[in-house]
Amino acid sequence: EAQVTQNPRYLITVTGKKLTVTCSQNMNHEYMSWYRQDPGLGLRQIYYSMNVEVTDKGDVPEGYKVSRKEKRNFPLILESPSPNQTSLYFCASSTTGVGETQYFGPGTRLLVL
Amino acid sequence: GENVEQHPSTLSVQEGDSAVIKCTYSDSASNYFPWYKQELGKRPQLIIDIRSNVGEKKDQRIAVTLNKTAKHFSLHITETQPEDSAVYFCAASRPTGANNLFFGTGTRLTVIP
């Protein structure tokens, strides 16, 4: 089954404790992206990747890191999480190019205390 | 960057009535406009999209219209059903080579049986 998976689905952590949210897709997509969703703000792009070893900042990259060492995986790293990073995070993937359908993962709900 | 505004933020309709959600965008170069539906606790899923060379697109009870001159696009749902209740997001994408989506802030649609 073609899908985007994320882990963990729920995470409670404390300020400053490094964490990684994994994202994996099995559709051989070149493009992958991370979004955060906050009430009243919609979905905002954090980072994106157009292919292996090619990553770039989105609209809200501060406090986040990403890597793309393999085509299928695009982990999101919070080196020192803060309470303002409490949010719902979605990974998405698509084939390259504007107008290609983006497929979203199930989401990761993060609470930083 | 691109700025997408979406209205209304909440919308309640009686079952069988029509619902209209409107979005405006700021970058005249944007050329791809998808609509996503997000049910409670679920991931966003594409329901319909339109490209800038088309003025209207229809898929059963759902239609999208685009006015490039005015830089606005709308989602129309006819004969609404309770299962249409969800949050709807519009988005716009610029022809930069990356499939980056700029989302509106969402409309919570409630269909009253």
Side-chain angles (χ1 to χ4, degrees):
Chain A
E1 180 191 354
Q3 60 181 348
V4 180
T5 58
Q6 291 179 229
N7 283 292
R9 295 289 314 280
Y10 305 91
L11 181 59
I12 302 174
T13 190
V14 295
T15 298
K17 186 176 181 182
K18 181 179 178 179
L19 66 92
T20 299
V21 183
T22 65
C23 173
S24 183
Q25 50 91 7
N26 63 1
M27 295 173 277
N28 202 35
H29 285 165
E30 296 87 6
Y31 179 91
M32 297 185 75
S33 180
W34 276 102
Y35 297 90
R36 61 177 289 173
Q37 183 176 15
D38 302 290
L41 297 178
L43 292 113
R44 295 178 293 166
Q45 188 177 50
I46 303 170
Y47 268 94
Y48 67 96
S49 169
M50 292 184 67
N51 216 323
V52 175
E53 302 292 1
V54 181
T55 63
D56 209 345
K57 297 178 181 178
D59 289 331
V60 289
E62 296 76 20
Y64 304 95
K65 284 176 57 176
V66 293
S67 68
R68 186 92 181 272
K69 292 183 169 49
E70 304 166 284
K71 197 172 188 178
R72 64 183 294 128
N73 296 324
F74 190 44
L76 179 69
I77 303 156
L78 285 72
E79 295 265 1
S80 183
S82 62
N84 63 12
Q85 293 178 297
T86 291
S87 187
L88 178 58
Y89 292 87
F90 286 101
C91 179
S93 75
S94 73
T95 54
T96 300
V98 174
E100 300 297 330
T101 301
Q102 287 197 21
Y103 297 89
F104 283 79
T108 295
R109 190 168 292 280
L110 173 65
L111 173 61
V112 183
L113 301 172
Chain B
E2 173 64 277
N3 181 46
V4 179
E5 295 190 358
Q6 183 171 348
H7 299 280
S9 57
T10 61
L11 179 60
S12 292
V13 299
Q14 290 291 137
E15 182 177 357
D17 287 350
S18 295
V20 180
I21 302 170
K22 299 182 179 182
C23 289
T24 60
Y25 60 99
S26 61
D27 190 339
S28 56
S30 289
N31 63 353
Y32 173 65
F33 308 93
W35 286 88
Y36 282 81
K37 175 183 180 182
Q38 186 179 28
E39 296 176 353
L40 190 63
K42 301 286 183 65
R43 72 193 77 188
Q45 291 193 302
L46 180 73
I47 56 171
I48 195 167
D49 57 15
I50 192 167
R51 298 171 197 278
S52 59
N53 58 347
V54 176
E56 183 174 357
K57 185 176 179 181
K58 192 172 182 179
D59 182 5
Q60 299 183 344
R61 297 185 297 107
I62 295 173
V64 57
T65 59
L66 171 65
N67 183 327
K68 286 176 57 180
T69 303
K71 290 189 284 187
H72 68 69
F73 56 113
S74 300
L75 178 70
H76 305 253
I77 306 174
T78 59
E79 301 172 18
T80 54
Q81 301 167 5
E83 52 264 39
D84 294 329
S85 295
V87 178
Y88 292 82
F89 291 97
C90 62
S93 186
R94 298 154 65 203
T96 60
N99 194 17
N100 293 340
L101 295 177
F102 296 86
F103 284 86
T105 51
T107 296
R108 182 174 298 279
L109 172 65
T110 302
V111 179
I112 304 164

